[in-house]
Amino acid sequence: MTTTSLPIAGTAALAALPLPAWRRTLRRVVGHRGLLIGGIVLGLAVLAAVFAPWLAPHDPFAQDVTQRLIPPVWHERGTWEHVLGTDKLGRDYLSRLLYGARVSLVIGFVTALVSGLIGTTLGVLAGYFGGRVDAVVSYVITCRLAMPVVLVALAMASLVGGSLKVVIVLLSLLLWDRFAIVTRSATQQLRDAEFIAAAKSLGASTPYILVRELLPNLMGALTVVATLEMAHAILLESTLSFLGLGVQPPTPSWGLMVAEGKAYMFFQPWVIMIPGLVLAVLVLAINLVGDGIRDVATPDGRH
């Protein structure tokens, strides 16, 4: 009995040991259905954008008016040569969708990165130093919140002229406020923490404390905000392109594809349904990823 009870006791003792942090995180990730679905869809979109030159069956810029407005393959007049049909100029819709993913993802990622740098810098400085610095940053945030993003972007794009670079710069300068608000609040809670006091007592400089001590503890919240702002930037770019003030033709853009097909929406509804559906799925996937990251990072903090 002694020889048989030892392995059982050893197995029970091993099972009682706490799991490593990375295994607990991995278990939460695998068990979060929304994060998995959103991550798979977003990953497929990234792969489609990266490998668009090899996946696209046709040149997205090649025009052939003899092949204009061919319906998708599931339509009775559809052909496998153009799986998703063609637009009013005979350009292959699938190819333009693949290249349009590049535009949307580049704008979303770069905008989230630049606006995140601006907002995080302002928020950390305001939350850590307080006083006049906090008052000035809070005033700047209030001024930014008083400006309607869409109207300001439309006005500036109409003055400067629409292009990919202009859209990225405009959105980066307009979408930093959420980063600043979140990091300011989080920094105010962390600036009096014990590890910050310990770093000060060891003679650490202020830049060292901000970069090496504070920022790593803000990365979870910043990742969630970045995903939300990435989805927001993609929607705003589509809005500007739909109104003719964003990405200019012939560059493939999902918002521009909807704008070019609106004249045919009652006779060939697929010309606006396909890019609109793809845009909605991508934004939903990004939001699912952001929501999942929040749940995984703070499993006991959401109610």
Side-chain angles (χ1 to χ4, degrees):
M1 294 179 64
T2 304
T3 57
T4 57
S5 60
L6 285 176
I8 297 177
T11 304
L14 289 175
L17 292 176
L19 292 174
W22 68 270
R23 291 192 63 180
R24 294 197 301 269
T25 302
L26 180 62
R27 180 173 293 183
R28 289 196 296 267
V29 170
V30 174
H32 198 290
R33 187 176 301 175
L35 179 57
L36 287 179
I37 295 175
I40 291 173
V41 174
L42 182 58
L44 291 176
V46 172
L47 290 176
V50 172
F51 296 102
W54 295 273
L55 295 176
H58 300 277
D59 185 354
F61 303 99
Q63 302 180 12
D64 186 359
V65 293
T66 62
Q67 301 289 321
R68 64 191 302 268
L69 295 177
I70 295 177
V73 68
W74 57 81
H75 194 275
E76 59 181 6
R77 294 189 298 107
T79 63
W80 284 102
E81 184 180 359
H82 301 284
V83 178
L84 296 182
T86 59
D87 63 4
K88 64 180 182 179
L89 297 177
R91 296 172 295 191
D92 184 70
Y93 236 48
L94 176 58
S95 302
R96 292 185 65 79
L97 280 176
L98 293 173
Y99 277 84
R102 285 184 159 189
V103 174
S104 296
L105 290 174
V106 166
I107 289 178
F109 178 78
V110 176
T111 299
L113 179 62
V114 177
S115 60
L117 289 175
I118 298 173
T120 301
T121 302
L122 293 176
V124 169
L125 293 177
Y128 185 80
F129 292 106
R132 294 183 178 179
V133 177
D134 187 22
V136 172
V137 173
S138 298
Y139 177 76
V140 174
I141 294 175
T142 303
C143 294
R144 158 58 199 91
L145 293 175
M147 298 186 297
V149 175
V150 177
L151 293 181
V152 173
L154 288 174
M156 295 304 298
S158 62
L159 290 175
V160 180
S163 67
L164 181 62
K165 294 181 180 179
V166 170
V167 171
I168 291 176
V169 172
L170 284 178
L171 297 183
S172 299
L173 295 177
L174 290 173
L175 299 181
W176 55 265
D177 54 285
R178 191 175 299 180
F179 288 97
I181 294 172
V182 171
T183 53
R184 174 181 175 272
S185 177
T187 303
Q188 287 176 338
Q189 298 175 8
L190 293 174
R191 65 183 178 185
D192 297 325
E194 293 182 356
F195 67 93
I196 298 295
K200 290 180 179 179
S201 64
L202 292 174
S205 62
T206 299
Y208 179 89
I209 294 175
L210 295 180
V211 175
R212 300 295 298 272
E213 301 292 340
L214 271 176
L215 279 182
N217 290 278
L218 300 176
M219 291 308 298
L222 288 176
T223 303
V224 176
V225 176
T227 57
L228 296 176
E229 293 304 323
M230 182 177 177
H232 193 190
I234 291 174
L235 285 177
L236 287 175
E237 179 274 325
S238 299
T239 302
L240 293 174
S241 298
F242 178 80
L243 298 175
L245 297 173
V247 178
Q248 298 299 305
T251 303
S253 167
W254 293 344
L256 186 60
M257 291 173 68
V258 175
E260 293 174 343
K262 67 180 184 293
Y264 308 93
M265 60 183 297
F266 295 109
F267 306 101
Q268 287 90 13
W270 50 268
V271 295
I272 62 170
M273 290 178 60
I274 292 176
L277 180 62
V278 171
L279 178 63
V281 170
L282 178 61
V283 172
L284 177 61
I286 296 174
N287 286 327
L288 286 176
V289 170
D291 192 65
I293 291 175
R294 178 178 57 184
D295 292 344
V296 170
T298 56
D300 300 325
R302 185 178 180 185
H303 303 283

